[in-house]
Amino acid sequence: MLCPSLLSSQNVDPETYLSDQQIDRELLINKLWSKIQETDRKRVSGLTDRDFDYFENLMSVIRNWSDEELLDLASEPIEFRKAMRKF
């Protein structure tokens, strides 16, 4: 887990530190499934076709994109959401 005090340290270059991170894709997919199930339970009519498309795009990106691409996209949440809708 990233610690703000670690990243603000004079001895740590955040760009280098973040670029060296390994993304646990299995953990991301498990969390995504949990979110899908939670969303489905909360809605009276369940998930929509757009929801399925969005979650399918997320799964594809997690499986296929490089760690660098994921970290870059995840650094800007608004751009991330836009990219997932268009993917």
Side-chain angles (χ1 to χ4, degrees), residues 22-36:
Q22 292 292 318
I23 295 176
D24 185 348
R25 292 168 194 278
E26 200 61 38
L27 176 66
L28 284 174
I29 289 173
N30 288 338
K31 287 186 179 232
L32 182 57
W33 273 115
S34 296
K35 188 65 175 171
I36 291 168

Side-chain angles (χ1 to χ4, degrees), residues 6-47:
L6 174 66
L7 293 179
S8 64
S9 167
Q10 297 289 341
N11 300 325
V12 176
D13 176 15
E15 285 187 29
T16 302
Y17 184 80
L18 290 172
S19 67
D20 290 342
Q21 295 297 303
Q22 292 292 318
I23 295 176
D24 185 348
R25 292 168 194 278
E26 200 61 38
L27 176 66
L28 284 174
I29 289 173
N30 288 338
K31 287 186 179 232
L32 182 57
W33 273 115
S34 296
K35 188 65 175 171
I36 291 168
Q37 292 169 344
E38 176 186 329
T39 303
D40 190 37
R41 280 191 304 269
K42 284 183 179 179
R43 294 191 182 159
V44 174
S45 60
L47 297 172

Side-chain angles (χ1 to χ4, degrees), residues 64 69 78 85:
N64 299 320
E69 289 172 311
I78 292 171
R85 287 184 188 118

Side-chain angles (χ1 to χ4, degrees), residues 4 7 13 19 42 45 49 58 61 63 68 71 75-76:
L7 293 179
D13 176 15
S19 67
K42 284 183 179 179
S45 60
D49 289 341
L58 280 173
V61 165
R63 287 187 184 114
E68 184 178 303
L71 286 169
S75 68
E76 298 180 36

